[in-house]
Amino acid sequence: MIQRFKGKENIIKLGLFILSGIGLYFVVAWASYSPLDNGWSTANSLLSSSLNKTGYLGAWTMDLLFAMFGQTAFFIPFALTFTPIYLLIAGSESLQRNQVLLWLFSFVLFMLGITLLSDQLLSDSHYDLAGGFVGGLFSDWLEPVIGQIGVMIV
């Protein structure tokens, strides 16, 4: 049976489709990431072209994500890919603004918590911090107040 969509619903579905496409682009950029590419935190004159399959934009954005969130940065491309697909399949008709804001807020808290844990528990690589500068910043800010065990509990 053919369904008739309203204008607002079409715009929401188009936005979710575009967001999943952007997320898929970031997944490819994450899969082909090389710290030798020119990016947000590195400059390299040895390579004439980018090693990243998505080009300089993908290398730059993934370098920014790895610098910000460290080894936990891979959650963001997958969340940008699979959350809109889930909403398209499950139906976005009953989606409300408060629900979207709650999901976004919980994802931000999840990323903050996982960067704090990775900053405390994982070792740094040669190129990036384990928790990125977000995890390092909040860990250095919270550790004198609540201690290392408190940071891991938070």
Side-chain angles (χ1 to χ4, degrees):
M1 187 124 214
I2 297 175
Q3 293 181 350
R4 301 272 181 200
F5 295 120
K6 296 185 171 101
K8 185 178 179 182
E9 189 175 333
N10 282 338
I11 291 173
I12 290 172
K13 288 190 184 282
L14 177 67
L16 289 173
F17 185 72
I18 290 172
L19 192 61
S20 68
I22 291 170
L24 187 63
Y25 176 81
F26 284 152
V27 167
V28 172
W30 168 76
S32 62
Y33 172 73
S34 172
L36 300 176
D37 282 336
N38 290 326
W40 185 76
S41 64
T42 58
N44 187 0
S45 62
L46 297 175
L47 300 174
S48 60
S49 65
S50 176
L51 296 175
N52 199 312
K53 300 296 182 203
T54 57
Y56 291 112
L57 179 66
W60 195 88
T61 55
M62 287 316 301
D63 192 45
L64 176 66
L65 286 177
F66 275 114
M68 285 179 67
F69 300 109
Q71 297 172 0
T72 61
F74 67 90
F75 283 115
I76 294 173
F78 286 105
L80 280 176
T81 302
F82 293 117
T83 303
I85 291 172
Y86 168 74
L87 289 174
L88 284 170
I89 291 172
S92 60
E93 294 86 21
S94 64
L95 196 62
Q96 296 176 358
R97 184 181 65 215
N98 292 340
Q99 189 177 14
V100 171
L101 291 175
L102 185 63
W103 282 1
L104 184 65
F105 182 68
S106 64
F107 184 72
V108 167
L109 286 180
F110 169 74
M111 287 303 294
L112 180 62
I114 203 82
T115 56
L116 281 169
L117 273 177
S118 63
D119 186 64
Q120 293 290 318
L121 299 175
L122 301 176
S123 61
D124 296 337
S125 69
H126 294 292
Y127 302 106
D128 295 315
L129 297 172
F133 67 79
V134 171
L137 178 76
F138 281 105
S139 178
D140 289 344
W141 180 62
L142 286 175
E143 196 167 333
V145 178
I146 59 176
Q148 187 175 8
I149 303 292
V151 169
M152 286 194 280
I153 290 173
V154 167

